Amino acid sequence: MARRNEEVEALLREYADLVAITGGDAFKARAYEKAARAIGGYPADVSALDAEGLREIPNVGRSIAEKVAEYLRTGRMAVVEERRAMIPAGVRELISIPALGPKKALRLYEDLHISSVDELAAAIEADALADLKGFGEKTQENIRHGIELLRRAGARVPLPSALDTAEEIVAELSGVTGCRRCAYAGSLRRMRETVGDLDVLVAAERSARFMEALCELPVTAEVVARGTKKTSVRTGKGLQVDLRVVPPESWGAAMQYFTGSKAHNIRTRTIAVHLGLKLSEYGLFDAESGESVASRTEDEVYARLGLPWIPPTLREDRGEIEAALRGELPEVVTERDVRGDLHTHTDLTDGLASLEAMVEAAAERGYAYYAVTDHAPDLYMQRMTEEKILAQRERVRELDGTRRRMRLLHGTELNIGPEGEVDWPAEFLAGFDLCVASLHSHFDLSREAMTRRLVRACENPYVDVIGHPTTRLIGRRPGVDADWDEVFAACARTGTALEVNSQPDRLDLRDEDILRAKAYGVKFAVNTDAHAVPHLGQLRYGVATAQRGWLTRDDVVNTWPLTRLRRFLRRPGRS
């Protein structure tokens, strides 16, 4: 079941946006953003805390703690409702557009009376923003693209939210008398980055109890349709859930049928037809006699089609059928394969937990090694200095091997400047065990300049990993424009790994980019970019994205033994 932390975080972020959009104190908005982030990353469920307990969370002062306690107690936060009433709902909708912040949204409302996404799209098409300061051609193009992203996302739900809901429903239905099997399928089982609706399957002799149970679950806000074979409901967050109850002997066929993408399923049904068979959610049948030839397990169904079992994350018709027929289906990387995390933060910069707390949590995950990579000085708001990072290094060395013999690596996350330069001179960088380098600003450079910037970073002999390479934020910010084929070729040439960032609002690189980069021979690092203890658990999303990009253990450097990883990290000039 989802913690209350996430909904409190979302509410505080909304309030910060509302303060900004109504011209409120920028410091106040920033304070609420920090508190939102701290609560979202807090290990314990905040619903168990009172106002005093909430004040123990970093960046949560008395005033914010009292407001959060009010929300947890009453389900409302008065200051949020007051701010919501100050502006039209459509203006609040504007700030959800990638590339359009609160200040620009407010200017559009005050100067042009634009109060909805549709009105803004029409104004851009009519060239009505041409004379508005700060809305030049490049800005308008970015906003236009942002509107397209927003519309494309539609009612799709982020992967973690969909997974929380699905796991809660599966847990509840699994406890209903008569349940033989229960699981989610569809795009969620394929671990797509956003989910349109949930497919939940139950194997049981009778369906009535399960249909009734789904309709009565706390998560259910509306019953869309109710039947004996299928019932559809909608959750309070607008996510549609389709429940199907199938006979136990049809479980494998149903899971195969309702997991694959439409294109994948067309391929498997076509193979069935060529074999004189018919494939449905109830089984694989002889087309003439109607006799069932496979149905109980997915392995059985695929085997009868002449295929090995295909991992759900690959079932997108991206060549997995052909690879399976050739016996070349990859053994994709799993979460168990990952030996350590190579991109994490502490409260020395913008993390929420101490070095000791993060190291202890990593050790509890059974890692063989773990890297701490706090921000470097060019990200000015973090106020990093050589003295601070060297003091941290000394403490890392003291802790090395003390937690379940886990080895610690001292690294840093460098900032890739506009020309591809990074923080700190070469002689100082030589002292780190590894360096992650990431884009944190200047996202609007031209394609040529951005490509040159990234290639130069790859060519730096002290840069081991390019972190969250495209900088995208799903549904909020598009990735930077670069010639990615040239960047991938540079990574392969220089031996620089590309990160698969596990933060669920990033998942960067995305699966399509991973497939392209892999073809160049690039190596990857699946990292969490954790800023708090709970974030370490987000590795599952990065691994799933890596699977969707067909990555194996050999492709992912942090599945390697430490000795092999250290050889990979060794660069010319480094001791």
Side-chain angles (χ1 to χ4, degrees), residues 157-169:
V157 173
L159 178 59
S161 179
L163 195 56
D164 283 341
T165 301
E167 289 178 343
E168 179 180 350
I169 291 172

PDB file of all heavy atoms in Angstrom, residues 157-169:
ATOM      1  N   VAL A 157      -0.880   7.055 -16.098  1.00  0.00           N
ATOM      2  CA  VAL A 157      -0.423   7.167 -14.710  1.00  0.00           C
ATOM      3  C   VAL A 157       1.046   6.772 -14.646  1.00  0.00           C
ATOM      4  O   VAL A 157       1.469   5.824 -15.313  1.00  0.00           O
ATOM      5  CB  VAL A 157      -1.273   6.241 -13.813  1.00  0.00           C
ATOM      6  CG1 VAL A 157      -0.730   6.177 -12.398  1.00  0.00           C
ATOM      7  CG2 VAL A 157      -2.726   6.721 -13.812  1.00  0.00           C
ATOM      8  N   PRO A 158       1.853   7.477 -13.844  1.00  0.00           N
ATOM      9  CA  PRO A 158       3.262   7.082 -13.703  1.00  0.00           C
ATOM     10  C   PRO A 158       3.393   5.655 -13.184  1.00  0.00           C
ATOM     11  O   PRO A 158       2.551   5.182 -12.407  1.00  0.00           O
ATOM     12  CB  PRO A 158       3.807   8.093 -12.684  1.00  0.00           C
ATOM     13  CG  PRO A 158       2.876   9.257 -12.756  1.00  0.00           C
ATOM     14  CD  PRO A 158       1.526   8.690 -13.086  1.00  0.00           C
ATOM     15  N   LEU A 159       4.455   5.000 -13.604  1.00  0.00           N
ATOM     16  CA  LEU A 159       4.680   3.598 -13.265  1.00  0.00           C
ATOM     17  C   LEU A 159       4.583   3.307 -11.766  1.00  0.00           C
ATOM     18  O   LEU A 159       3.880   2.361 -11.371  1.00  0.00           O
ATOM     19  CB  LEU A 159       6.038   3.165 -13.822  1.00  0.00           C
ATOM     20  CG  LEU A 159       6.497   1.732 -13.549  1.00  0.00           C
ATOM     21  CD1 LEU A 159       5.510   0.723 -14.100  1.00  0.00           C
ATOM     22  CD2 LEU A 159       7.885   1.504 -14.161  1.00  0.00           C
ATOM     23  N   PRO A 160       5.237   4.062 -10.874  1.00  0.00           N
ATOM     24  CA  PRO A 160       5.176   3.725  -9.446  1.00  0.00           C
ATOM     25  C   PRO A 160       3.765   3.796  -8.868  1.00  0.00           C
ATOM     26  O   PRO A 160       3.371   2.949  -8.064  1.00  0.00           O
ATOM     27  CB  PRO A 160       6.081   4.774  -8.782  1.00  0.00           C
ATOM     28  CG  PRO A 160       6.958   5.264  -9.859  1.00  0.00           C
ATOM     29  CD  PRO A 160       6.140   5.208 -11.115  1.00  0.00           C
ATOM     30  N   SER A 161       2.997   4.807  -9.284  1.00  0.00           N
ATOM     31  CA  SER A 161       1.627   4.947  -8.788  1.00  0.00           C
ATOM     32  C   SER A 161       0.769   3.770  -9.241  1.00  0.00           C
ATOM     33  O   SER A 161      -0.008   3.203  -8.456  1.00  0.00           O
ATOM     34  CB  SER A 161       1.024   6.263  -9.288  1.00  0.00           C
ATOM     35  OG  SER A 161      -0.298   6.414  -8.839  1.00  0.00           O
ATOM     36  N   ALA A 162       0.912   3.382 -10.516  1.00  0.00           N
ATOM     37  CA  ALA A 162       0.157   2.240 -11.030  1.00  0.00           C
ATOM     38  C   ALA A 162       0.560   0.958 -10.324  1.00  0.00           C
ATOM     39  O   ALA A 162      -0.283   0.113  -9.988  1.00  0.00           O
ATOM     40  CB  ALA A 162       0.380   2.103 -12.535  1.00  0.00           C
ATOM     41  N   LEU A 163       1.857   0.815 -10.059  1.00  0.00           N
ATOM     42  CA  LEU A 163       2.344  -0.393  -9.400  1.00  0.00           C
ATOM     43  C   LEU A 163       1.842  -0.485  -7.965  1.00  0.00           C
ATOM     44  O   LEU A 163       1.444  -1.562  -7.495  1.00  0.00           O
ATOM     45  CB  LEU A 163       3.875  -0.413  -9.436  1.00  0.00           C
ATOM     46  CG  LEU A 163       4.567  -1.737  -9.127  1.00  0.00           C
ATOM     47  CD1 LEU A 163       4.080  -2.851 -10.046  1.00  0.00           C
ATOM     48  CD2 LEU A 163       6.082  -1.579  -9.267  1.00  0.00           C
ATOM     49  N   ASP A 164       1.837   0.635  -7.251  1.00  0.00           N
ATOM     50  CA  ASP A 164       1.308   0.654  -5.884  1.00  0.00           C
ATOM     51  C   ASP A 164      -0.146   0.195  -5.866  1.00  0.00           C
ATOM     52  O   ASP A 164      -0.551  -0.628  -5.038  1.00  0.00           O
ATOM     53  CB  ASP A 164       1.405   2.063  -5.288  1.00  0.00           C
ATOM     54  CG  ASP A 164       2.815   2.420  -4.839  1.00  0.00           C
ATOM     55  OD1 ASP A 164       3.624   1.493  -4.653  1.00  0.00           O
ATOM     56  OD2 ASP A 164       3.090   3.616  -4.666  1.00  0.00           O
ATOM     57  N   THR A 165      -0.935   0.761  -6.779  1.00  0.00           N
ATOM     58  CA  THR A 165      -2.357   0.399  -6.845  1.00  0.00           C
ATOM     59  C   THR A 165      -2.531  -1.072  -7.188  1.00  0.00           C
ATOM     60  O   THR A 165      -3.332  -1.781  -6.566  1.00  0.00           O
ATOM     61  CB  THR A 165      -3.077   1.279  -7.886  1.00  0.00           C
ATOM     62  OG1 THR A 165      -2.950   2.654  -7.521  1.00  0.00           O
ATOM     63  CG2 THR A 165      -4.564   0.919  -7.965  1.00  0.00           C
ATOM     64  N   ALA A 166      -1.790  -1.548  -8.175  1.00  0.00           N
ATOM     65  CA  ALA A 166      -1.906  -2.942  -8.607  1.00  0.00           C
ATOM     66  C   ALA A 166      -1.529  -3.904  -7.489  1.00  0.00           C
ATOM     67  O   ALA A 166      -2.221  -4.909  -7.259  1.00  0.00           O
ATOM     68  CB  ALA A 166      -1.035  -3.186  -9.833  1.00  0.00           C
ATOM     69  N   GLU A 167      -0.445  -3.610  -6.803  1.00  0.00           N
ATOM     70  CA  GLU A 167       0.005  -4.510  -5.728  1.00  0.00           C
ATOM     71  C   GLU A 167      -0.989  -4.522  -4.569  1.00  0.00           C
ATOM     72  O   GLU A 167      -1.196  -5.558  -3.933  1.00  0.00           O
ATOM     73  CB  GLU A 167       1.407  -4.101  -5.276  1.00  0.00           C
ATOM     74  CG  GLU A 167       2.465  -4.421  -6.326  1.00  0.00           C
ATOM     75  CD  GLU A 167       3.870  -3.984  -5.931  1.00  0.00           C
ATOM     76  OE1 GLU A 167       3.998  -3.143  -5.005  1.00  0.00           O
ATOM     77  OE2 GLU A 167       4.835  -4.488  -6.536  1.00  0.00           O
ATOM     78  N   GLU A 168      -1.603  -3.391  -4.303  1.00  0.00           N
ATOM     79  CA  GLU A 168      -2.630  -3.341  -3.256  1.00  0.00           C
ATOM     80  C   GLU A 168      -3.839  -4.196  -3.649  1.00  0.00           C
ATOM     81  O   GLU A 168      -4.353  -4.974  -2.838  1.00  0.00           O
ATOM     82  CB  GLU A 168      -3.059  -1.885  -3.033  1.00  0.00           C
ATOM     83  CG  GLU A 168      -4.147  -1.715  -1.977  1.00  0.00           C
ATOM     84  CD  GLU A 168      -4.551  -0.261  -1.786  1.00  0.00           C
ATOM     85  OE1 GLU A 168      -3.866   0.634  -2.322  1.00  0.00           O
ATOM     86  OE2 GLU A 168      -5.568  -0.029  -1.109  1.00  0.00           O
ATOM     87  N   ILE A 169      -4.274  -4.074  -4.904  1.00  0.00           N
ATOM     88  CA  ILE A 169      -5.435  -4.847  -5.366  1.00  0.00           C
ATOM     89  C   ILE A 169      -5.117  -6.338  -5.384  1.00  0.00           C
ATOM     90  O   ILE A 169      -5.919  -7.169  -4.937  1.00  0.00           O
ATOM     91  CB  ILE A 169      -5.871  -4.356  -6.770  1.00  0.00           C
ATOM     92  CG1 ILE A 169      -6.462  -2.950  -6.663  1.00  0.00           C
ATOM     93  CG2 ILE A 169      -6.891  -5.312  -7.388  1.00  0.00           C
ATOM     94  CD1 ILE A 169      -6.736  -2.297  -8.006  1.00  0.00           C
TER      95      ILE A 169
END
